[in-house]
Amino acid sequence: MPKIVFLPHEELCPEGTAVEAADGESVLDVALRNGIGIEHACEKVCACTTCHVYVREGYDSLAEINDNEDDMLDKAWGLDPDSRLSCQARVNGEDLVIEIPKYTINMVKENH
């Protein structure tokens, strides 16, 4: 079973963690299942950028980004070449290393 390493994040995962993930499961669902509260204001339908993450390792194992996700990412804070929306990035047989950005474009947290 693939693993996802979440790098330390000051608020959401201060120590960092490594968790197991099932093929086809989104990075966001894995995070939430393991108590890592990544924002997801649009309820995982690719209509916002609050679940933006950086895929530091394993990026090429993910399905190619679609036009809708690509358009949404243009609005994300701190966009870089490893950026993906965690609600759209699905585990595909390889381990991943994920960095959660310090900020989102949300002014307030949704407290899901």
Side-chain angles (χ1 to χ4, degrees), residues 49-110:
T49 63
T50 57
C51 71
H52 166 235
V53 296
Y54 305 115
V55 183
R56 297 304 187 201
E57 293 180 22
Y59 187 96
D60 291 338
S61 71
L62 302 173
E64 192 170 319
I65 195 167
N66 66 35
D67 289 340
N68 190 30
E69 181 182 0
D70 196 36
D71 289 345
M72 289 308 303
L73 278 171
D74 286 341
K75 302 171 187 167
W77 181 91
L79 186 67
D80 84 5
D82 297 332
S83 291
R84 288 295 299 262
L85 297 181
S86 62
C87 69
Q88 301 300 301
R90 298 197 174 275
V91 177
N92 192 22
E94 290 190 28
D95 295 348
L96 301 172
V97 175
I98 302 295
E99 180 181 353
I100 303 167
K102 185 171 183 174
Y103 302 107
T104 73
I105 62 168
N106 264 14
M107 297 289 280
V108 295
K109 293 202 182 287
E110 299 290 327

Side-chain angles (χ1 to χ4, degrees), residues 2-23:
K3 287 191 176 19
I4 299 180
V5 173
F6 289 94
L7 298 175
H9 180 278
E10 186 177 313
E11 294 176 19
L12 302 178
C13 187
E15 303 297 317
T17 190
V19 298
E20 291 189 344
D23 279 344

